[in-house]
Amino acid sequence: MAQRRFPTRTSLLAAALLAPLAPLAATSAAQPASPHPTPAAATDTATTTDHPAPWTDRVQIQSGPAGALKRMHAPDVALRIVTPDDSEALTPKGLALLFSGNEPDYFQRNNLPGSIIEGQASPAITLMPNVAKALVGGYFRYAPDALPAQTSILRFSADTWALVHQGNTRKDPLYRLNHSSTIEQRRADGTLAEIISCNDSDNRATLEAWQADDYARLKAAAQMITMKCIEKLVKRIPAMYPRPLAAEDVSAYADGAAPPARVRVYAALGRTTTLYTDAACREDYRDRIDVKYNNAGDKGVLGIPVTETLRSKENERFSMLSYQEYEVPGGKPLIFEARFDASSRVYCDGKLSGQFVARPGQDYEVEFEVADKICRLHIRQVHTDGSVTPQQARPTPTICEGTRAPVRIEPRQDMQVLLFTPGKLQIQDASQNSAPQQLSDDANANAALQQVLQQASSTPGTRLCIVTPGSTYSSPLRDALWNRVLESPQALPSLWLEAAAVTPSHSAAAGAQVDLATAMTHCKAIPIKEFAAQ
């Protein structure tokens, strides 16, 4: 099954990274290859050798044989050719398994020692590392803020690079090119952070065709294999070396306490969706929650608006609706991962995982969907009317820097002050110097009030500070506002105050009216955490 790819700037990456790869691949293939590890942090040209790029101190590119040894031969750092002659040392029974019957034992045949051609190195030894240097250098020129603070290693490990005789008899002329290698990202302490596997075994020709013109066909195949493998690396580079994560500046909130966000996570039998809160990466988070079919149910429902997805799941026949809703820190990064349980014996091809910053006061829903043999992880913003829009998420970082994800400042949402006085309602945005909006406190102004509230609720995080003459005060707009807040408590976090509590104590008097400037000053001094859903 294939996973849904999270949106990345692929067009820019392609322009910045892939353009130089083809000529470099051709140049590298034409040069004699050495089956020895390439020096760490080697550079592309003589010019950069004198002035190495800064990234080479942080990301070291190496190559060498794979760690696990084969039973009959070492990993292929150079070409291995397996002919029928290599089976002569086998017993008659072993020979029969390899070269007779309708189903020859190609697994055993592929692992015969064969003959080593030292001049034809595996593409994982020289070609892939050289192309990767151009790729990584181009990526950090495109995204210099992605340069990691800690050292890491990208290691290309050669496993299989062999021409293996096909067929049941010695007269069969075809040889298949088998290739397998891995790209490993390792942390500064040597532990594995990410691994990319590259496998190819569908190219066949006669041995004479493979060897003609100094192995020209083999070199062309090596270039194609390299480009396919590097394409996988291109897709994973943003997760291996992520750019700073955009987040909201919560320091602007009183006491740094931003309103929480809410998340609805759907569950299904045999699947698990994991939520990491305040998560810089998989190893650096505040809470981990595994949402499964048998631990979700209808408990923990917080009142996130009903969406089309929820309605459709409620109407599914022979299926029990199962989901959970959670409050999560607003303005902090979230990570979601989805997978099949091991007992289901089904899996998705690749990782279903993404990271984004939950906006204060915003609602989300997360759905792990499998349709047409494709795995998808849907993350959506949920609006107050139940409509949804896709939430942009980036690939989850594979390496943690040991600190919380850095932030780029984005404007935070602010507060509206609503001041009721007999016969009048004044509305002022606390973050602007514009003139206040004034409404007559009668039923004819209800449409104008609802429009103001709709605009406030469509901007997640906006809170209402409402000042009335007293706790028993009633009026057409006050009652309409009260009902609207009760309908959408999370979309309109509010705080209701009496005028006597807002007026300075030394000037307070029974029935004293409060002016708008005093109300704004008082409301701004109140910590945001006091603006809870009513």
Side-chain angles (χ1 to χ4, degrees), residues 319-351:
S319 177
M320 182 178 295
L321 178 65
S322 181
Y323 67 93
Q324 180 68 284
E325 294 179 355
Y326 303 94
E327 273 196 355
V328 297
K332 300 291 185 180
L334 298 176
I335 290 176
F336 286 96
E337 290 187 339
R339 63 191 179 277
F340 281 100
D341 298 337
S343 58
S344 68
R345 298 185 179 181
V346 183
Y347 65 93
C348 296
D349 182 16
K351 294 180 180 178

Side-chain angles (χ1 to χ4, degrees), residues 321-444:
L321 178 65
S322 181
Y323 67 93
Q324 180 68 284
E325 294 179 355
Y326 303 94
E327 273 196 355
V328 297
K332 300 291 185 180
L334 298 176
I335 290 176
F336 286 96
E337 290 187 339
R339 63 191 179 277
F340 281 100
D341 298 337
S343 58
S344 68
R345 298 185 179 181
V346 183
Y347 65 93
C348 296
D349 182 16
K351 294 180 180 178
L352 279 177
S353 180
Q355 181 189 45
F356 70 98
V357 173
R359 298 188 65 184
Q362 177 68 60
D363 290 335
Y364 301 90
E365 69 175 10
V366 178
E367 179 190 13
F368 175 18
E369 179 194 35
V370 180
D372 300 324
K373 297 184 178 181
I374 297 177
C375 299
R376 296 181 177 91
L377 180 62
H378 298 288
I379 304 175
R380 311 180 186 99
Q381 291 185 24
V382 179
H383 306 294
T384 55
D385 60 357
S387 63
V388 298
T389 54
Q391 169 62 44
Q392 294 285 325
R394 73 175 188 177
T396 301
T398 59
I399 286 183
C400 259
E401 294 291 330
T403 60
R404 294 297 180 185
V407 300
R408 289 197 295 268
I409 303 304
E410 291 183 351
R412 70 179 180 87
Q413 305 305 325
D414 214 290
M415 173 177 60
Q416 286 187 341
V417 177
L418 294 87
L419 174 62
F420 284 92
T421 54
K424 183 172 61 175
L425 169 61
Q426 299 179 75
I427 305 172
Q428 175 70 64
D429 190 326
S431 64
Q432 299 181 6
N433 296 321
S434 58
Q437 183 175 359
Q438 297 193 28
L439 302 177
S440 297
D441 196 349
D442 56 49
N444 293 330

Side-chain angles (χ1 to χ4, degrees), residues 15 40 73 114 125 190 241 258 264 273 279 284 291 336 401 512-513 529:
H73 68 87
I125 295 300
Y241 302 104
R264 174 191 294 139
T273 301
D284 186 5
V291 182
F336 286 96
E401 294 291 330
Q513 293 188 5
K529 61 185 179 181

Side-chain angles (χ1 to χ4, degrees), residues 247-302:
E248 185 167 347
D249 180 17
V250 297
S251 64
Y253 291 93
D255 297 332
R262 300 184 303 176
V263 179
R264 174 191 294 139
V265 184
Y266 295 102
L269 191 64
R271 308 176 196 175
T272 298
T273 301
T274 299
L275 163 63
Y276 299 89
T277 69
D278 195 4
C281 63
R282 294 181 185 88
E283 293 80 32
D284 186 5
Y285 58 87
R286 191 178 80 173
D287 296 304
R288 170 176 172 162
I289 304 169
D290 291 317
V291 182
K292 297 176 179 288
Y293 184 80
N294 58 0
N295 69 359
D298 59 357
K299 63 180 185 289
V301 176
L302 302 178

Side-chain angles (χ1 to χ4, degrees), residues 162-296:
L163 289 172
V164 180
H165 177 265
Q166 304 296 290
N168 295 336
T169 69
R170 294 173 181 268
K171 295 181 180 180
D172 290 320
L174 294 182
Y175 282 71
R176 183 176 64 185
L177 178 61
N178 293 338
H179 161 263
S180 64
S181 60
T182 58
I183 307 173
E184 298 177 355
Q185 182 194 29
R186 293 194 172 272
R187 304 179 181 90
D189 60 2
T191 57
L192 182 66
E194 177 80 343
I195 185 167
I196 298 172
S197 297
C198 302
N199 299 279
D200 298 271
S201 59
D202 57 356
N203 199 336
R204 304 181 187 215
T206 65
L207 185 58
E208 291 76 14
W210 285 116
Q211 294 175 326
D213 299 324
D214 192 22
Y215 290 91
R217 184 187 183 97
L218 181 74
K219 292 174 182 177
Q223 293 181 32
M224 293 300 298
I225 288 171
T226 294
M227 299 307 293
K228 290 171 62 177
C229 192
I230 291 297
E231 183 180 359
K232 295 182 178 182
L233 179 60
V234 168
K235 294 177 180 179
R236 294 301 299 159
I237 278 287
M240 291 176 165
Y241 302 104
R243 303 187 70 181
L245 185 65
E248 185 167 347
D249 180 17
V250 297
S251 64
Y253 291 93
D255 297 332
R262 300 184 303 176
V263 179
R264 174 191 294 139
V265 184
Y266 295 102
L269 191 64
R271 308 176 196 175
T272 298
T273 301
T274 299
L275 163 63
Y276 299 89
T277 69
D278 195 4
C281 63
R282 294 181 185 88
E283 293 80 32
D284 186 5
Y285 58 87
R286 191 178 80 173
D287 296 304
R288 170 176 172 162
I289 304 169
D290 291 317
V291 182
K292 297 176 179 288
Y293 184 80
N294 58 0
N295 69 359

